[in-house]
Coordinates of all heavy atoms in Angstrom, one line a residue:
V243 N 0.8 -1.2 0.0 CA 0.0 0.0 0.0 C 0.9 1.3 0.0 O 1.8 1.3 0.8 CB -0.9 0.0 1.3 CG1 -1.7 1.3 1.3 CG2 -1.8 -1.2 1.3
Y244 N 0.6 2.2 -0.9 CA 1.4 3.4 -1.0 C 0.7 4.6 -0.4 O -0.6 4.6 -0.4 CB 1.6 3.7 -2.5 CG 2.5 2.8 -3.2 CD1 1.9 1.7 -4.0 CD2 3.8 2.8 -3.1 CE1 2.7 0.8 -4.7 CE2 4.7 1.9 -3.8 CZ 4.1 0.9 -4.5 OH 4.9 0.0 -5.2
S245 N 1.4 5.5 0.3 CA 0.7 6.7 0.8 C 0.4 7.6 -0.4 O 1.0 7.5 -1.5 CB 1.7 7.4 1.7 OG 2.8 7.9 1.1
L246 N -0.5 8.5 -0.1 CA -0.8 9.5 -1.1 C 0.4 10.3 -1.5 O 0.6 10.6 -2.7 CB -1.9 10.5 -0.6 CG -2.5 11.5 -1.6 CD1 -3.0 10.9 -2.8 CD2 -3.5 12.4 -0.9
N247 N 1.3 10.6 -0.6 CA 2.5 11.4 -1.0 C 3.4 10.6 -1.9 O 4.0 11.1 -2.8 CB 3.2 11.7 0.3 CG 4.2 12.9 0.1 OD1 4.1 13.6 -0.8 ND2 5.2 12.9 1.0
E248 N 3.5 9.3 -1.7 CA 4.3 8.4 -2.6 C 3.6 8.3 -4.0 O 4.3 8.4 -5.0 CB 4.4 7.0 -2.0 CG 5.3 6.9 -0.8 CD 5.2 5.6 -0.1 OE1 4.1 5.0 0.1 OE2 6.3 5.1 0.3
V249 N 2.3 8.3 -4.0 CA 1.6 8.2 -5.3 C 1.8 9.5 -6.1 O 1.9 9.4 -7.3 CB 0.1 7.9 -5.1 CG1 -0.7 8.1 -6.4 CG2 -0.1 6.5 -4.5
L250 N 1.9 10.6 -5.4 CA 2.0 11.9 -6.0 C 3.4 12.4 -6.1 O 3.7 13.6 -6.3 CB 1.1 12.9 -5.3 CG -0.3 12.7 -5.3 CD1 -1.0 13.7 -4.3 CD2 -0.9 12.8 -6.7
S251 N 4.4 11.5 -5.9 CA 5.8 11.9 -5.9 C 6.3 12.6 -7.1 O 7.3 13.4 -7.0 CB 6.7 10.7 -5.6 OG 6.6 9.8 -6.6
D252 N 5.6 12.5 -8.2 CA 6.0 13.2 -9.5 C 5.5 14.7 -9.5 O 5.9 15.4 -10.3 CB 5.6 12.5 -10.7 CG 6.3 11.2 -11.0 OD1 7.5 11.0 -10.4 OD2 5.8 10.3 -11.7
V253 N 4.6 15.0 -8.6 CA 4.1 16.3 -8.5 C 5.1 17.2 -7.7 O 5.6 16.8 -6.7 CB 2.7 16.4 -7.7 CG1 2.2 17.8 -7.5 CG2 1.7 15.5 -8.5
P254 N 5.5 18.4 -8.2 CA 6.5 19.2 -7.5 C 6.1 19.5 -6.1 O 4.9 19.7 -5.8 CB 6.5 20.5 -8.4 CG 6.0 20.1 -9.7 CD 5.0 19.0 -9.4
G255 N 7.1 19.6 -5.2 CA 6.9 19.8 -3.8 C 7.3 21.2 -3.4 O 8.3 21.7 -3.9
V256 N 6.6 21.7 -2.4 CA 7.0 23.0 -1.7 C 7.0 22.7 -0.2 O 5.9 22.3 0.3 CB 6.0 24.1 -2.0 CG1 6.3 25.4 -1.2 CG2 6.0 24.4 -3.5
W257 N 8.2 22.8 0.4 CA 8.3 22.5 1.8 C 8.1 23.8 2.6 O 8.8 24.8 2.4 CB 9.7 21.9 2.1 CG 9.8 20.5 1.6 CD1 9.6 19.3 2.4 CD2 10.0 20.0 0.3 NE1 9.7 18.2 1.6 CE2 9.9 18.6 0.3 CE3 10.2 20.7 -0.9 CZ2 10.1 17.9 -0.8 CZ3 10.3 19.9 -2.1 CH2 10.3 18.5 -2.0
V258 N 7.2 23.7 3.6 CA 6.8 24.9 4.4 C 7.5 24.8 5.8 O 7.6 23.8 6.4 CB 5.3 24.8 4.6 CG1 4.8 26.0 5.4 CG2 4.6 24.8 3.3
K259 N 8.0 26.0 6.2 CA 8.5 26.1 7.6 C 7.5 25.8 8.6 O 6.3 26.0 8.5 CB 9.0 27.6 7.8 CG 10.2 28.0 6.9 CD 10.6 29.4 7.1 CE 11.7 29.8 6.2 NZ 12.0 31.3 6.3
E260 N 8.0 25.2 9.7 CA 7.1 24.7 10.8 C 6.1 25.7 11.2 O 5.0 25.4 11.5 CB 8.0 24.2 11.9 CG 7.2 23.5 13.0 CD 8.0 22.8 14.0 OE1 9.2 22.4 13.7 OE2 7.6 22.7 15.2
R261 N 6.5 26.9 11.4 CA 5.6 27.9 12.0 C 4.4 28.3 11.0 O 3.5 29.0 11.4 CB 6.4 29.2 12.5 CG 6.9 30.0 11.4 CD 7.6 31.2 12.0 NE 7.8 32.2 11.0 CZ 8.9 32.7 10.5 NH1 10.0 32.2 11.1 NH2 9.0 33.6 9.6
F262 N 4.5 27.9 9.7 CA 3.5 28.2 8.8 C 2.6 27.0 8.5 O 1.6 27.1 7.8 CB 4.1 28.7 7.5 CG 4.7 30.0 7.6 CD1 6.1 30.1 7.9 CD2 4.0 31.2 7.4 CE1 6.7 31.3 8.0 CE2 4.6 32.4 7.5 CZ 6.0 32.5 7.8
V263 N 2.8 25.8 9.2 CA 2.0 24.7 8.9 C 0.6 24.9 9.3 O -0.4 24.4 8.6 CB 2.7 23.4 9.7 CG1 1.7 22.3 9.8 CG2 3.9 23.0 9.1
R264 N 0.3 25.6 10.4 CA -1.1 25.8 10.8 C -1.8 26.6 9.8 O -3.0 26.3 9.5 CB -1.1 26.5 12.2 CG -2.4 26.6 12.8 CD -2.4 27.3 14.2 NE -3.6 27.1 14.8 CZ -4.0 26.2 15.6 NH1 -3.1 25.2 15.9 NH2 -5.2 26.1 16.2
K265 N -1.2 27.6 9.2 CA -1.9 28.4 8.1 C -2.3 27.5 7.0 O -3.4 27.6 6.5 CB -1.0 29.5 7.6 CG -0.7 30.6 8.6 CD 0.2 31.7 8.0 CE -0.7 32.5 7.1 NZ 0.0 33.8 6.6
I266 N -1.4 26.6 6.6 CA -1.7 25.7 5.5 C -2.9 24.8 5.9 O -3.8 24.6 5.1 CB -0.5 24.8 5.1 CG1 0.7 25.7 4.6 CG2 -0.8 23.7 4.1 CD1 0.5 26.3 3.2
A267 N -2.9 24.3 7.1 CA -4.0 23.4 7.6 C -5.3 24.1 7.6 O -6.4 23.5 7.5 CB -3.7 22.9 9.0
H268 N -5.3 25.5 7.6 CA -6.5 26.2 7.6 C -6.8 26.8 6.2 O -7.7 27.6 6.0 CB -6.5 27.4 8.6 CG -6.6 26.9 10.0 ND1 -7.8 26.8 10.6 CD2 -5.7 26.6 10.9 CE1 -7.7 26.3 11.8 NE2 -6.4 26.3 12.1
G269 N -6.0 26.3 5.2 CA -6.3 26.7 3.8 C -5.7 28.1 3.4 O -6.0 28.6 2.3
A270 N -4.9 28.7 4.3 CA -4.4 30.0 4.0 C -3.1 29.9 3.2 O -2.3 29.0 3.4 CB -4.1 30.7 5.3
P271 N -2.9 30.8 2.2 CA -1.6 30.7 1.5 C -0.5 31.2 2.3 O -0.7 31.9 3.3 CB -1.9 31.7 0.3 CG -3.0 32.6 0.8 CD -3.8 31.8 1.8
V272 N 0.7 30.9 1.9 CA 1.9 31.3 2.5 C 2.8 31.9 1.4 O 3.0 31.3 0.4 CB 2.6 30.1 3.2 CG1 4.0 30.4 3.7 CG2 1.7 29.5 4.3
G273 N 3.4 33.0 1.8 CA 4.4 33.7 0.8 C 5.7 33.0 0.9 O 6.0 32.1 1.6
A274 N 6.6 33.6 0.1 CA 8.0 33.1 0.0 C 8.7 33.0 1.3 O 9.5 32.1 1.5 CB 8.8 33.9 -1.0
E275 N 8.3 33.8 2.3 CA 9.0 33.8 3.6 C 8.7 32.6 4.4 O 9.5 32.2 5.3 CB 8.6 35.1 4.4 CG 7.2 35.0 4.9 CD 6.1 35.4 4.0 OE1 6.4 35.8 2.8 OE2 4.9 35.3 4.4
G276 N 7.7 31.9 4.0 CA 7.3 30.6 4.7 C 7.8 29.3 4.1 O 7.5 28.2 4.6
I277 N 8.6 29.4 3.1 CA 9.0 28.3 2.3 C 10.5 27.9 2.7 O 11.4 28.8 2.6 CB 9.0 28.6 0.8 CG1 7.5 29.0 0.4 CG2 9.4 27.4 -0.1 CD1 6.4 28.0 0.9
L278 N 10.7 26.7 3.0 CA 12.1 26.1 3.2 C 12.8 25.9 1.9 O 13.9 26.2 1.7 CB 12.0 24.8 4.0 CG 11.7 24.9 5.4 CD1 11.4 23.5 6.0 CD2 12.9 25.5 6.2
K279 N 12.1 25.1 1.0 CA 12.7 24.8 -0.3 C 11.6 24.4 -1.2 O 10.4 24.2 -0.8 CB 13.7 23.6 -0.2 CG 13.1 22.3 0.3 CD 14.2 21.2 0.3 CE 13.5 19.9 0.8 NZ 14.5 18.8 0.8
R280 N 11.8 24.3 -2.5 CA 10.8 24.0 -3.5 C 11.5 23.3 -4.7 O 12.6 23.5 -5.0 CB 10.1 25.2 -3.9 CG 11.0 26.2 -4.6 CD 10.4 27.6 -4.9 NE 11.3 28.5 -5.6 CZ 12.1 29.3 -5.0 NH1 12.1 29.3 -3.7 NH2 12.9 30.1 -5.7
D281 N 10.7 22.5 -5.3 CA 11.1 21.8 -6.6 C 10.9 22.9 -7.7 O 10.1 23.8 -7.5 CB 10.3 20.6 -6.9 CG 10.6 19.4 -5.9 OD1 11.7 19.3 -5.4 OD2 9.7 18.6 -5.7
F282 N 11.4 22.6 -8.9 CA 11.0 23.4 -10.0 C 9.6 23.2 -10.4 O 9.1 22.0 -10.4 CB 12.0 23.1 -11.2 CG 11.6 23.8 -12.4 CD1 11.9 25.1 -12.7 CD2 10.8 23.2 -13.4 CE1 11.5 25.8 -13.9 CE2 10.4 23.8 -14.6 CZ 10.7 25.1 -14.8
F283 N 8.9 24.2 -10.8 CA 7.5 24.1 -11.3 C 7.2 25.3 -12.1 O 7.8 26.4 -12.0 CB 6.5 24.0 -10.2 CG 6.5 25.0 -9.1 CD1 5.8 26.2 -9.3 CD2 7.2 24.8 -7.9 CE1 5.9 27.2 -8.3 CE2 7.2 25.8 -7.0 CZ 6.5 27.0 -7.1
E284 N 6.2 25.1 -13.0 CA 5.8 26.2 -13.9 C 4.4 26.7 -13.4 O 3.7 26.0 -12.7 CB 5.6 25.7 -15.3 CG 7.0 25.3 -15.9 CD 6.8 24.9 -17.4 OE1 5.8 25.0 -18.0 OE2 7.9 24.5 -17.9
K285 N 4.0 27.9 -13.8 CA 2.7 28.5 -13.5 C 1.7 27.5 -13.9 O 1.7 27.0 -15.0 CB 2.6 29.8 -14.2 CG 1.3 30.6 -13.9 CD 1.2 31.9 -14.6 CE -0.1 32.6 -14.2 NZ -0.1 34.0 -14.8
G286 N 0.7 27.3 -13.0 CA -0.5 26.4 -13.3 C -0.2 25.0 -12.9 O -1.1 24.2 -13.0
A287 N 1.0 24.7 -12.5 CA 1.3 23.3 -12.1 C 0.6 22.9 -10.8 O 0.4 23.8 -9.9 CB 2.8 23.1 -12.0
A288 N 0.3 21.6 -10.7 CA -0.2 21.1 -9.4 C 1.0 21.1 -8.5 O 2.2 20.8 -8.9 CB -0.7 19.7 -9.5
L289 N 0.8 21.3 -7.2 CA 1.9 21.3 -6.1 C 1.5 20.5 -4.9 O 0.3 20.5 -4.5 CB 2.2 22.7 -5.7 CG 2.7 23.7 -6.7 CD1 2.7 25.1 -6.1 CD2 4.0 23.3 -7.2
R290 N 2.5 19.9 -4.4 CA 2.3 19.2 -3.0 C 2.9 20.2 -2.0 O 4.0 20.7 -2.1 CB 3.1 17.9 -2.9 CG 2.6 16.8 -3.8 CD 3.5 15.6 -3.7 NE 4.8 15.9 -4.1 CZ 6.0 15.5 -3.5 NH1 5.9 14.6 -2.5 NH2 7.1 15.8 -3.9
L291 N 2.2 20.5 -0.9 CA 2.6 21.3 0.1 C 3.0 20.4 1.3 O 2.2 19.6 1.8 CB 1.6 22.3 0.6 CG 1.2 23.5 -0.3 CD1 2.4 24.3 -0.6 CD2 0.5 23.1 -1.6
L292 N 4.2 20.4 1.8 CA 4.8 19.5 2.7 C 5.4 20.2 3.9 O 5.8 21.4 3.8 CB 5.8 18.6 2.1 CG 5.4 17.9 0.8 CD1 6.2 18.4 -0.3 CD2 5.5 16.5 1.0
D293 N 5.3 19.5 5.1 CA 6.0 20.2 6.2 C 7.5 19.9 6.1 O 8.0 19.3 5.2 CB 5.4 19.7 7.6 CG 5.8 18.3 7.9 OD1 6.5 17.6 7.2 OD2 5.3 17.8 9.0
D294 N 8.3 20.4 7.1 CA 9.8 20.2 7.1 C 10.2 18.8 7.1 O 11.4 18.5 6.8 CB 10.4 21.1 8.1 CG 10.0 20.7 9.6 OD1 9.1 19.9 9.7 OD2 10.7 21.2 10.5
Q295 N 9.3 17.9 7.5 CA 9.7 16.5 7.5 C 9.2 15.7 6.3 O 9.3 14.5 6.2 CB 9.2 15.8 8.8 CG 9.7 16.4 10.0 CD 9.2 15.8 11.3 OE1 8.3 14.9 11.3 NE2 9.6 16.2 12.4
G296 N 8.6 16.4 5.4 CA 8.1 15.8 4.1 C 6.7 15.2 4.3 O 6.3 14.5 3.4
I297 N 6.0 15.6 5.3 CA 4.6 15.1 5.5 C 3.6 15.9 4.6 O 3.7 17.2 4.7 CB 4.2 15.1 6.9 CG1 5.0 14.1 7.7 CG2 2.7 14.7 7.0 CD1 4.8 14.1 9.2
L298 N 2.9 15.3 3.8 CA 1.9 16.0 2.9 C 0.8 16.7 3.7 O 0.1 16.1 4.4 CB 1.3 14.9 1.9 CG 0.4 15.5 0.7 CD1 1.2 16.5 -0.1 CD2 -0.1 14.3 -0.1
L299 N 0.7 18.0 3.5 CA -0.3 18.8 4.2 C -1.5 19.1 3.3 O -2.6 19.2 3.7 CB 0.4 20.1 4.6 CG 1.6 20.0 5.5 CD1 2.2 21.4 5.7 CD2 1.2 19.4 6.9
A300 N -1.1 19.5 2.0 CA -2.2 20.0 1.1 C -1.7 19.9 -0.3 O -0.5 19.7 -0.6 CB -2.5 21.5 1.5
L301 N -2.7 20.1 -1.2 CA -2.4 20.2 -2.7 C -2.8 21.6 -3.1 O -3.8 22.1 -2.6 CB -3.2 19.1 -3.4 CG -2.9 17.6 -3.0 CD1 -3.8 16.7 -3.7 CD2 -1.5 17.3 -3.3
G302 N -2.0 22.1 -4.1 CA -2.3 23.4 -4.5 C -2.0 23.6 -6.0 O -1.5 22.6 -6.7
T303 N -2.2 24.8 -6.5 CA -1.9 25.1 -7.9 C -0.9 26.4 -7.9 O -1.2 27.3 -7.1 CB -3.2 25.5 -8.6 OG1 -4.1 24.4 -8.5 CG2 -2.9 25.8 -10.1
A304 N 0.1 26.3 -8.7 CA 1.1 27.4 -8.8 C 0.4 28.6 -9.5 O 0.0 28.4 -10.6 CB 2.3 26.9 -9.5
K305 N 0.6 29.7 -8.9 CA 0.1 31.0 -9.5 C 1.3 31.7 -10.2 O 1.1 32.6 -11.0 CB -0.5 31.9 -8.5 CG -1.8 31.3 -7.9 CD -2.3 32.1 -6.7 CE -2.6 33.5 -6.9 NZ -3.1 34.2 -5.7
S306 N 2.5 31.2 -9.9 CA 3.8 31.7 -10.5 C 4.6 30.6 -10.7 O 4.5 29.6 -10.0 CB 4.4 32.8 -9.6 OG 3.7 33.9 -9.3
G307 N 5.6 30.7 -11.6 CA 6.6 29.6 -11.7 C 7.6 29.7 -10.7 O 7.8 30.8 -10.1
S308 N 8.3 28.6 -10.3 CA 9.3 28.7 -9.3 C 10.4 29.6 -9.6 O 11.1 30.2 -8.7 CB 9.9 27.2 -9.0 OG 10.5 26.7 -10.2
N309 N 10.8 29.8 -10.9 CA 11.9 30.7 -11.2 C 11.4 32.2 -11.1 O 12.3 33.1 -11.2 CB 12.4 30.4 -12.6 CG 11.3 30.5 -13.7 OD1 10.2 30.6 -13.4 ND2 11.7 30.6 -14.9
E310 N 10.2 32.5 -10.9 CA 9.7 33.9 -10.7 C 9.7 34.3 -9.2 O 9.5 35.5 -9.0 CB 8.3 34.0 -11.3 CG 8.3 33.8 -12.8 CD 6.9 33.8 -13.3 OE1 5.9 33.8 -12.6 OE2 6.7 33.9 -14.6
I311 N 9.8 33.3 -8.3 CA 9.7 33.7 -6.9 C 11.0 34.5 -6.5 O 12.1 34.2 -6.8 CB 9.7 32.4 -6.0 CG1 8.4 31.6 -6.4 CG2 9.8 32.7 -4.5 CD1 8.3 30.3 -5.8
G312 N 10.7 35.6 -5.9 CA 11.8 36.6 -5.5 C 12.0 37.6 -6.6 O 12.9 38.4 -6.5
T313 N 11.2 37.6 -7.6 CA 11.3 38.6 -8.7 C 10.1 39.5 -8.7 O 9.1 39.2 -8.0 CB 11.5 38.0 -10.1 OG1 10.3 37.4 -10.5 CG2 12.6 37.0 -10.1
E314 N 10.1 40.6 -9.5 CA 8.9 41.4 -9.5 C 7.7 40.8 -10.2 O 6.6 41.2 -10.0 CB 9.2 42.8 -10.1 CG 10.2 42.9 -11.2 CD 10.5 44.2 -11.7 OE1 11.3 45.0 -11.1 OE2 9.9 44.6 -12.8
K315 N 7.9 39.7 -11.0 CA 6.8 38.9 -11.6 C 6.1 38.1 -10.6 O 5.0 37.6 -10.9 CB 7.4 38.0 -12.7 CG 7.8 38.7 -13.9 CD 8.2 37.7 -15.0 CE 8.6 38.4 -16.3 NZ 9.0 37.5 -17.3
E316 N 6.7 37.8 -9.5 CA 6.1 36.9 -8.4 C 4.8 37.6 -7.9 O 4.8 38.7 -7.5 CB 7.1 36.7 -7.3 CG 6.5 35.9 -6.2 CD 7.3 36.0 -4.9 OE1 8.3 36.6 -4.9 OE2 6.8 35.4 -3.9
E317 N 3.8 36.7 -7.7 CA 2.6 37.2 -7.0 C 3.0 37.0 -5.5 O 3.8 36.2 -5.1 CB 1.4 36.3 -7.4 CG 1.0 36.5 -8.8 CD -0.4 36.0 -9.0 OE1 -1.3 36.0 -8.1 OE2 -0.7 35.5 -10.1
R318 N 2.4 37.8 -4.7 CA 2.6 37.7 -3.2 C 2.5 36.3 -2.7 O 3.3 35.8 -2.0 CB 1.7 38.6 -2.5 CG 1.6 38.4 -0.9 CD 2.8 39.0 -0.2 NE 2.5 38.9 1.2 CZ 3.2 38.0 2.0 NH1 4.0 37.2 1.5 NH2 3.0 38.0 3.2
F319 N 1.4 35.6 -3.0 CA 1.2 34.2 -2.7 C 1.3 33.4 -4.0 O 0.4 33.6 -4.9 CB -0.2 34.0 -2.0 CG -0.3 34.8 -0.8 CD1 -1.2 35.8 -0.7 CD2 0.5 34.6 0.3 CE1 -1.4 36.6 0.5 CE2 0.4 35.3 1.5 CZ -0.5 36.3 1.6
F320 N 2.4 32.7 -4.2 CA 2.7 32.1 -5.4 C 1.9 30.7 -5.7 O 2.1 30.1 -6.7 CB 4.1 31.8 -5.7 CG 4.8 30.9 -4.7 CD1 4.9 29.6 -5.0 CD2 5.4 31.4 -3.5 CE1 5.5 28.7 -4.1 CE2 5.9 30.5 -2.6 CZ 6.0 29.2 -2.9
F321 N 1.1 30.3 -4.8 CA 0.2 29.1 -4.9 C -1.1 29.3 -4.3 O -1.3 30.2 -3.5 CB 0.9 27.9 -4.4 CG 1.0 27.9 -2.9 CD1 0.0 27.5 -2.1 CD2 2.2 28.4 -2.3 CE1 0.2 27.5 -0.7 CE2 2.4 28.4 -0.9 CZ 1.4 28.0 -0.1
K322 N -2.1 28.6 -4.8 CA -3.4 28.5 -4.2 C -3.7 27.1 -3.7 O -3.5 26.2 -4.4 CB -4.4 28.9 -5.3 CG -5.9 28.8 -4.9 CD -6.9 29.1 -6.0 CE -8.3 28.9 -5.4 NZ -9.1 28.4 -6.4
I323 N -4.2 27.0 -2.5 CA -4.4 25.7 -1.9 C -5.8 25.3 -2.4 O -6.8 26.0 -2.4 CB -4.5 25.8 -0.4 CG1 -3.1 26.1 0.2 CG2 -5.0 24.5 0.2 CD1 -3.0 26.2 1.7
E324 N -5.7 24.0 -3.0 CA -7.0 23.4 -3.5 C -7.6 22.5 -2.6 O -8.8 22.4 -2.4 CB -6.6 22.7 -4.8 CG -6.0 23.6 -5.9 CD -6.9 24.6 -6.5 OE1 -8.1 24.6 -6.3 OE2 -6.4 25.5 -7.2
T325 N -6.8 21.7 -1.9 CA -7.3 20.6 -0.9 C -6.4 20.5 0.3 O -5.2 20.4 0.1 CB -7.3 19.2 -1.7 OG1 -8.1 19.4 -2.8 CG2 -7.9 18.2 -0.7
V326 N -7.0 20.7 1.5 CA -6.2 20.5 2.7 C -6.4 19.0 3.1 O -7.6 18.6 3.1 CB -6.7 21.4 3.8 CG1 -6.0 21.1 5.1 CG2 -6.4 22.8 3.4
L327 N -5.4 18.4 3.5 CA -5.5 16.9 3.7 C -5.6 16.6 5.2 O -5.3 15.5 5.6 CB -4.3 16.2 3.1 CG -4.2 16.4 1.6 CD1 -2.9 15.9 1.0 CD2 -5.4 15.7 0.9
S328 N -6.0 17.5 6.0 CA -6.2 17.3 7.4 C -7.4 18.2 7.8 O -7.6 19.2 7.2 CB -5.0 17.6 8.3 OG -4.7 19.0 8.2
E329 N -8.1 17.9 8.9 CA -9.2 18.7 9.4 C -8.6 19.8 10.2 O -8.1 19.5 11.3 CB -10.2 17.8 10.2 CG -10.9 16.8 9.3 CD -11.9 17.5 8.4 OE1 -12.4 18.5 8.7 OE2 -12.0 16.9 7.3
A330 N -8.7 21.0 9.8 CA -8.2 22.1 10.5 C -8.9 22.4 11.9 O -8.3 22.9 12.8 CB -8.2 23.4 9.7
D331 N -10.1 22.0 12.0 CA -10.9 22.2 13.2 C -10.6 21.2 14.3 O -10.9 21.4 15.5 CB -12.4 22.3 13.0 CG -12.7 23.4 12.1 OD1 -12.0 24.4 12.1 OD2 -13.7 23.3 11.3
E332 N -10.0 20.1 14.0 CA -9.7 19.1 14.9 C -8.1 19.0 15.1 O -7.4 19.1 14.1 CB -10.2 17.7 14.4 CG -11.7 17.6 14.3 CD -12.1 16.3 13.7 OE1 -11.3 15.3 13.8 OE2 -13.2 16.2 13.2
P333 N -7.6 18.7 16.3 CA -6.2 18.6 16.4 C -5.7 17.4 15.6 O -6.2 16.3 15.6 CB -6.0 18.3 17.9 CG -7.3 18.8 18.6 CD -8.4 18.6 17.5
V334 N -4.7 17.6 14.8 CA -4.1 16.6 14.0 C -2.6 16.7 14.2 O -2.0 17.8 14.2 CB -4.4 16.9 12.5 CG1 -3.7 15.9 11.6 CG2 -5.9 16.8 12.2
K335 N -2.0 15.6 14.4 CA -0.5 15.5 14.5 C 0.1 15.7 13.1 O -0.1 14.8 12.2 CB -0.1 14.2 15.2 CG 1.4 14.1 15.4 CD 1.7 14.7 16.8 CE 3.1 14.3 17.1 NZ 3.7 15.1 18.1
V336 N 0.9 16.7 12.9 CA 1.6 16.9 11.6 C 3.1 17.2 12.0 O 3.4 18.2 12.6 CB 1.0 18.1 10.9 CG1 1.8 18.4 9.6 CG2 -0.5 18.0 10.6
G337 N 3.9 16.2 11.7 CA 5.2 16.3 12.0 C 5.4 16.3 13.6 O 4.9 15.4 14.2
K338 N 6.1 17.3 14.1 CA 6.3 17.4 15.6 C 5.3 18.2 16.3 O 5.3 18.2 17.5 CB 7.6 18.0 15.8 CG 8.8 17.2 15.2 CD 10.1 17.9 15.5 CE 10.4 18.9 14.4 NZ 11.7 19.6 14.5
I339 N 4.4 18.9 15.5 CA 3.4 19.7 16.2 C 2.0 19.3 16.1 O 1.7 18.6 15.1 CB 3.5 21.2 15.8 CG1 3.2 21.3 14.3 CG2 4.9 21.8 16.0 CD1 3.1 22.7 13.8
E340 N 1.2 19.6 17.0 CA -0.3 19.3 16.9 C -1.0 20.6 16.5 O -0.8 21.7 17.0 CB -0.8 18.9 18.3 CG -2.2 18.3 18.2 CD -2.6 17.7 19.5 OE1 -2.1 16.6 19.9 OE2 -3.4 18.3 20.2
I341 N -1.8 20.4 15.5 CA -2.6 21.6 15.0 C -4.1 21.4 15.1 O -4.6 20.4 15.3 CB -2.3 21.9 13.5 CG1 -2.5 20.7 12.6 CG2 -0.8 22.3 13.3 CD1 -2.4 21.0 11.2

């Protein structure tokens, strides 16, 4: 049996800093300041949003390409969350923190 993250491993990933995980769990976008690292992706691409340990938090769509982040072409929030994979209203263990 494969995890959803394993099944979607070909989808580019964006790793989120620990202090921004709660925002993602509530469906809120995070700007470049909340990102640890990212794979290459183009505008319109599907994205996996992961915590610092690689746990899949949400799926989203890129509003800017990865090479535009940090330039004047970048939108403030370069992705849109489409699906949160945890219930934000209930405490859920994500990595080391409970949200």
Side-chain angles (χ1 to χ4, degrees):
V243 177
Y244 294 99
S245 71
L246 184 57
N247 199 23
E248 290 171 316
V249 171
L250 298 173
S251 64
D252 288 339
V253 175
V256 175
W257 286 260
V258 179
K259 293 178 183 175
E260 187 174 329
R261 69 177 201 245
F262 291 91
V263 167
R264 187 176 193 94
K265 289 182 79 169
I266 296 290
H268 286 276
V272 173
E275 74 281 357
I277 304 307
L278 284 171
K279 64 179 181 175
R280 63 188 180 271
D281 291 333
F282 172 81
F283 54 85
E284 294 183 6
K285 182 177 181 176
L289 298 174
R290 292 177 301 138
L291 289 299
L292 306 116
D293 73 3
D294 61 348
Q295 296 178 1
I297 295 172
L298 184 60
L299 303 171
L301 300 173
T303 304
K305 293 168 61 178
S306 301
S308 59
N309 59 346
E310 296 173 349
I311 297 171
T313 70
E314 31 183 84
K315 288 185 177 181
E316 173 199 1
E317 293 196 36
R318 166 75 174 107
F319 301 114
F320 64 90
F321 65 87
K322 177 183 178 213
I323 293 180
E324 304 291 347
T325 304
V326 174
L327 300 171
S328 66
E329 292 294 326
D331 295 332
E332 299 176 19
V334 176
K335 185 87 169 158
V336 179
K338 298 180 273 185
I339 63 172
E340 189 172 289
I341 56 174

